[in-house]
């Protein structure tokens, strides 16, 4: 029952919440994030990060997230 309550409270999956928290905690020090490096920090693949970043970028959160570049790994511009 609590899993249902959690999903009702937030449309984000567990992976998406982990990525969002990582971005929130690092956005003051950094503007550009590579999917590969986020994945390394969170134990995810770059593909998992990229797939889940779309939901974060499209959502109404306290961060502005924009897909920025594609060299060696997708880069995301994040503004707090």
């Amino acid at each position: 029952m609590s899993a249902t309550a959690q999903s009702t409270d937030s449309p984000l999956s567990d992976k998406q919440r982990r990525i969002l928290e990582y971005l929130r905690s690092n956005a003051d020090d950094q503007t550009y994030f590579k999917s590969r490096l986020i994945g390394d920090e969170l134990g995810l693949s770059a593909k998992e990060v990229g797939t889940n970043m779309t939901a974060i970028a499209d959502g109404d959160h306290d961060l502005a997230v924009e897909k920025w570049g594609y060299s060696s790994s997708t880069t995301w511009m994040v503004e707090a």
Side-chain angles (χ1 to χ4, degrees), residues 30-80:
Q30 189 174 345
T31 303
Y32 298 95
F33 295 85
K34 286 193 172 286
S35 291
R36 179 178 45 83
L37 299 178
I38 295 170
D40 288 347
E41 288 292 320
L42 300 178
L44 303 170
S45 71
K47 184 174 182 174
E48 286 176 301
V49 173
T51 300
N52 287 290
M53 284 289 280
T54 304
I56 295 168
D58 293 343
D60 185 22
H61 305 288
D62 54 347
L63 298 175
V65 178
E66 180 182 340
K67 190 181 278 190
W68 192 256
Y70 300 96
S71 62
S72 77
S73 177
T74 301
T75 301
W76 301 89
M77 183 177 72
V78 178
E79 296 176 320

